């Protein structure tokens, strides 16, 4: 019992900021994945076996983390370096903790399989990304510079070894957040507005450009 309580305290430690809250009953607008892990409940175990987990829900959405908008006048084509503002921050968390344990790492690895793209599985945050960007332009117009990613969030079920029965039993359900690789680019008002079902990071940046 003490081992179970210690594991629960570790998974429930509060550190960092949980920026995206997941609900088991609400799917994110862009994409969802349903758990197909093998349920370990009732399977034999020994107390020192690594505790398994199962991803119950997984969804993702595009998030613009760095952004800046500029208007380029006639006769000013060329290259320039600009500073982007941090508009959103995504941090890897498991059970509200930004310190990713071995158990948390195992959960986040399964998340990548669920959502269909690689995600961060260790302590990471988008706030450490560079805020400067060098870009070139050859036409006047209103432009947006962006950095962004796909943020994934959901719920995972953890398990503990019930020594009395020698089988895995349900433990806590934990909320997780992680994100994919960073994307960088420029958008302009000359580009058509994206379709409502286009949930790429670039499309999200175009929506945020005030045209």
């Amino acid at each position: 019992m003490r081992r179970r309580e210690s594991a629960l305290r570790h998974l429930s430690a509060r550190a960092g900021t949980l920026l995206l809250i997941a609900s088991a009953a609400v799917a994110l607008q862009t994409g969802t994945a349903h758990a197909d892990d093998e349920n370990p409940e009732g399977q034999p175990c020994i107390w020192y076996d690594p505790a398994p987990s199962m991803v119950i829900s997984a969804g993702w959405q595009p998030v613009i983390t760095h952004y800046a908008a500029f208007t380029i006048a006639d006769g000013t084509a060329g290259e320039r370096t600009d500073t982007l503002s941090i508009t959103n921050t995504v941090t890897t968390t498991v059970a509200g903790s930004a310190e990713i344990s071995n158990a948390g790492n195992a959960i986040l690895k399964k998340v990548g399989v669920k959502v269909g793209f690689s995600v961060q599985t260790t302590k990471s945050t988008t706030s450490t990304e560079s805020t400067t960007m060098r870009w070139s332009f050859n036409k006047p117009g209103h432009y947006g510079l962006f950095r962004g990613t796909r943020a994934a969030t959901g719920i995972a079920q953890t398990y503990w070894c019930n020594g009395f029965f020698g089988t895995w039993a349900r433990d806590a359900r934990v909320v997780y957040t992680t994100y994919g690789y960073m994307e960088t680019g420029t958008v302009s008002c000359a580009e058509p507005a994206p379709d409502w079902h286009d949930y790429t990071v670039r499309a999200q940046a175009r929506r945020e450009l005030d045209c």
Side-chain angles (χ1 to χ4, degrees):
M1 182 62 72
R2 287 194 297 272
R3 286 188 294 271
R4 180 193 178 194
E5 293 173 348
S6 175
L8 266 172
R9 285 195 297 272
H10 186 71
L11 277 170
S12 300
R14 290 295 184 263
T17 303
L18 184 63
L19 298 164
L20 299 173
I21 302 299
S23 169
V26 180
L28 297 180
Q29 63 179 0
T30 58
T32 58
H34 300 287
D36 56 7
D37 292 338
E38 179 182 353
N39 189 339
E41 186 174 4
Q43 297 298 314
C45 64
I46 303 175
W47 66 268
Y48 54 76
D49 289 338
S53 59
M54 184 173 68
V55 175
I56 297 174
S57 65
W60 62 267
Q61 61 182 341
V63 177
I64 302 303
T65 58
H66 302 68
Y67 194 80
F70 299 92
T71 298
I72 303 301
D74 286 323
T76 58
E79 290 190 355
R80 56 185 283 176
T81 299
D82 290 295
T83 299
L84 283 64
S85 298
I86 296 178
T87 55
N88 294 286
T89 298
V90 186
T91 300
T92 51
T93 61
V94 176
S97 175
E99 300 297 330
I100 306 302
S101 64
N102 289 338
N105 175 268
I107 289 173
L108 296 182
K109 285 181 178 178
K110 292 182 179 181
V111 172
V113 175
K114 299 302 179 188
V115 297
F117 56 86
S118 297
V119 299
Q120 302 295 323
T121 59
T122 57
K123 183 177 180 179
S124 307
T125 179
T126 61
S127 64
T128 59
E129 295 291 327
S130 173
T131 58
T132 60
M133 180 175 170
R134 186 166 182 80
W135 63 297
S136 61
F137 49 93
N138 54 23
K139 293 181 180 180
H142 193 52
Y143 293 86
L145 284 64
F146 71 90
R147 281 195 172 91
T149 187
R150 290 178 288 181
T153 187
I155 296 174
Q157 175 72 58
T158 62
Y159 296 85
W160 70 291
C161 187
N162 186 324
F164 183 80
F165 295 103
T167 57
W168 292 113
R170 292 185 187 182
D171 205 338
R173 286 191 173 188
V174 298
V175 177
Y176 65 81
T177 296
T178 185
Y179 59 95
Y181 64 87
M182 297 297 296
E183 299 180 40
T184 301
T186 62
V187 290
S188 76
C189 288
E191 301 174 23
D195 293 333
W196 67 269
H197 53 76
D198 186 346
Y199 291 109
T200 61
V201 174
R202 181 179 181 83
Q204 184 63 27
R206 174 62 179 81
R207 292 186 186 99
E208 296 190 13
L209 185 62
D210 186 13
C211 296

